């Protein structure tokens, strides 16, 4: 199984261990669109010590924009947190949640000391990613009300304490006992600004999530916070370019993608999708993935003919931030808890739009007409082939 395989630390660690400095700098520029070593941030030594004592890797990155005459820089620091489960999946639900809350408080504290303004957890961070099992109990007991559940109330205190916007992705139970995969946005004042839900539900491999919760009916809300306009594209939605695009149409400046995905399924796609979305939509995209291997008590199958198993495989972390100019940060570890602190100048969004003109050249009416036609059951694709020549008798 995957937990018996020795996982590598990161792509970056492989490059740094095997390339001479000149070649490394060239490869880094081509891969990440930035210089090597990338421009980082100064973190207080006490913060570094706290992170080390908590076994949380900290990486930093800085995205700059050109100076403008009429607008001052619009500097925002985001924090992306990825983590393993601190306790086995067999631990009682209340104990698992308490342990995750304890870890979260450490992570948010470290982020606050590093100057983070907007903090985002990974998908359904308060529980194991148990949706592979198709078992109801005990996993549905992890669901909480979005607006006033125990995790939201806990994070409201931290948001107010640290003047920080916090994005809280949870399994939501609404008043009618319907479950949703939800992200709650908590303002830096400590108030619940609103929520969004997962638009696209996977039905691939072990990811049988449609047996647990519904597709969102909330659309693509963008939240106007003290630190910029943010959207949340939850996990599987990153595979749908139109999903990313809608946040751009609604004028998002930063889109977070809290996720839970394993190497055997999606790792070749991971570094491409959020980065492409940032380029196509002229915003910053923040991709967050959990780490570790989560093993469950009972075996389950995927309907793919493979033997029954007790885990998904390895969640490979590698959280990163991509800029609208095509550059990106290095990724966090594939195997360890980590916090990525990235400083963004939001002026870069408009500067890139002005440079490339994507909004002027996107021709929405043409595509809108085609999308309307393609959504009909009787749609006929526009295919032109070579016609058979008439026979000469």
């Amino acid at each position: 199984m995957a937990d018996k395989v020795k996982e590598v630390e990161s792509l970056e660690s492989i490059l740094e261990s095997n390339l001479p400095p000149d070649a490394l700098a060239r490869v880094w520029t081509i891969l990440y669109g930035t210089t090597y070593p990338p421009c980082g941030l100064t973190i207080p030594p006490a913060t570094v010590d706290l992170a080390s004592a908590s076994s949380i890797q900290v990486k930093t990155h800085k995205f700059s924009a050109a100076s403008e005459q009429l607008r001052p820089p619009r500097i925002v620091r985001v924090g992306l947190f990825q983590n393993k489960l601190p306790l086995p999946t067999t631990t009682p639900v209340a104990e698992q949640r308490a342990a995750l809350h304890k870890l979260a408080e450490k992570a948010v504290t470290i982020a606050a000391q590093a100057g983070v303004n907007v903090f985002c957890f990974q998908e359904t961070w308060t529980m194991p990613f148990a949706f592979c099992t198709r078992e109801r109990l005990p996993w549905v007991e992890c669901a909480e009300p979005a607006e006033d559940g125990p995790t939201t109330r806990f994070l409201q205190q931290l948001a107010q304490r640290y003047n920080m916007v916090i994005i809280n992705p949870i399994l939501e139970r609404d008043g009618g006992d319907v479950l949703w995969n939800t992200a709650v946005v908590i303002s830096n004042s400590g108030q619940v600004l609103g929520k969004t839900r997962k638009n696209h539900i996977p039905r691939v491999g072990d990811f049988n999530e449609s047996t647990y919760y519904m597709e969102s009916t909330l659309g693509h809300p963008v939240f106007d916070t003290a630190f910029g306009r943010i959207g949340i594209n939850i996990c599987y939605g990153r595979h749908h370019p139109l999903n990313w695009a809608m946040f751009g149409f609604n004028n998002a400046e930063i889109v977070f993608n809290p996720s839970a995905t394993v190497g055997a399924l999606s790792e070749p796609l991971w570094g491409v999708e959020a980065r492409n979305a940032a380029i196509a939509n002229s915003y910053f995209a923040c991709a967050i993935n959990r780490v570790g291997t989560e093993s469950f008590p009972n075996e389950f199958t995927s309907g793919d003919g493979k033997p029954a198993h007790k885990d998904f495989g390895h969640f490979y972390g590698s959280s990163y931030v991509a800029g609208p100019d095509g550059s990106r940060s290095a990724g966090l570890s594939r195997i360890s808890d980590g916090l990525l602190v990235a400083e963004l100048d939001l002026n870069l969004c408009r500067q890139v739009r002005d440079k490339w003109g994507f909004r002027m050249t996107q021709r929405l009416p043409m595509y809108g007409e085609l999308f309307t036609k393609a959504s009909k059951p009787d749609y006929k694709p526009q295919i032109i082939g070579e016609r058979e020549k008439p026979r000469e008798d």
Side-chain angles (χ1 to χ4, degrees), residues 5-286:
V5 176
K6 181 175 176 56
E7 297 287 348
V8 299
E9 167 69 25
S10 66
L11 171 62
E12 292 83 6
S13 66
I14 296 173
L15 294 174
E16 290 169 339
S17 298
N18 291 279
L19 291 178
D22 289 349
L24 176 61
R26 182 62 177 152
V27 168
W28 199 276
T29 300
I30 294 171
L31 283 180
Y32 292 160
T34 187
T35 58
Y36 185 84
C39 182
L41 307 170
T42 301
I43 301 296
T47 305
V48 176
D49 292 342
L50 178 59
S52 178
S54 304
S55 299
I56 296 174
Q57 176 197 55
V58 176
K59 284 190 176 183
T60 67
H61 191 85
K62 183 176 181 178
F63 294 85
S64 298
S67 297
E68 299 186 20
Q69 296 183 37
L70 300 180
R71 289 195 307 174
R74 300 175 60 220
I75 304 300
V76 173
R77 287 193 182 185
V78 297
L80 283 57
F81 184 56
Q82 65 177 45
N83 64 275
K84 304 174 186 175
L85 293 178
L87 297 175
T89 61
T90 51
T91 308
V93 169
E95 293 181 25
Q96 290 193 58
R97 180 183 292 165
L100 284 160
H101 281 197
K102 183 177 180 180
L103 176 62
E105 185 164 13
K106 291 180 181 178
V108 172
T109 300
I110 294 166
Q113 293 180 4
V116 166
N117 306 117
V118 186
F119 183 100
C120 188
F121 291 94
Q122 63 201 24
E123 183 185 18
T124 59
W125 72 274
T126 58
M127 61 178 291
F129 207 75
F131 310 121
C132 54
T133 67
R134 296 189 293 277
E135 299 169 338
R136 300 300 181 189
L137 293 174
W139 314 122
V140 294
E141 295 185 65
C142 299
E144 311 177 26
E147 291 78 9
D148 60 357
T151 299
T152 295
R153 293 198 304 270
F154 162 69
L155 293 178
Q156 284 179 289
Q157 297 175 23
L158 295 179
Q160 187 175 33
R161 181 189 308 167
Y162 294 123
N163 189 34
M164 182 188 296
V165 172
I166 299 180
I167 301 168
N168 175 31
I170 58 169
L171 181 63
E172 176 193 2
R173 181 185 294 278
D174 71 13
D177 278 335
V178 177
L179 300 185
W180 308 88
N181 190 321
T182 298
V184 185
V185 180
I186 302 169
S187 171
N188 58 309
S189 68
Q191 300 301 307
V192 173
L193 191 57
K195 67 185 178 185
T196 188
R197 291 166 173 161
K198 192 169 184 173
N199 282 319
H200 299 274
I201 311 299
R203 298 166 177 83
V204 53
D206 288 328
F207 290 80
N208 296 294
E209 299 171 42
S210 60
T211 62
Y212 284 88
Y213 46 77
M214 301 287 292
E215 286 91 351
S216 175
T217 58
L218 300 180
H220 299 78
V222 169
F223 301 91
D224 193 7
T225 77
F227 306 110
R229 297 186 299 272
I230 64 175
I232 302 98
N233 179 5
I234 301 175
C235 197
Y236 190 75
R238 72 183 181 278
H239 302 310
H240 295 269
L242 293 178
N243 199 39
W244 289 105
M246 292 304 295
F247 294 107
F249 293 158
N250 287 334
N251 282 344
E253 295 171 304
I254 314 169
V255 177
F256 293 87
N257 178 223
S259 299
T261 184
V262 294
L265 177 67
S266 66
E267 197 161 11
L269 311 179
W270 179 251
V272 177
E273 289 168 317
R275 192 177 185 186
N276 188 63
I279 297 167
N281 299 291
S282 302
Y283 53 50
F284 290 93
C286 304

Side-chain angles (χ1 to χ4, degrees), residues 271-351:
V272 177
E273 289 168 317
R275 192 177 185 186
N276 188 63
I279 297 167
N281 299 291
S282 302
Y283 53 50
F284 290 93
C286 304
I288 311 159
N289 184 28
R290 66 173 62 196
V291 287
T293 302
E294 300 175 6
S295 182
F296 297 92
N298 301 318
E299 291 184 333
F300 51 87
T301 58
S302 303
D304 57 6
K306 295 181 180 178
H309 43 283
K310 292 188 175 184
D311 66 74
F312 273 115
H314 178 69
F315 293 103
Y316 53 82
S318 307
S319 304
Y320 70 97
V321 177
D325 60 351
S327 65
R328 57 155 286 181
S329 71
L332 289 176
S333 170
R334 296 180 71 261
I335 57 177
S336 303
D337 291 2
L339 173 68
L340 175 60
V341 179
E343 184 174 284
L344 324 176
D345 186 341
L346 299 184
N347 283 352
L348 187 61
C349 298
R350 192 169 79 179
Q351 290 177 11

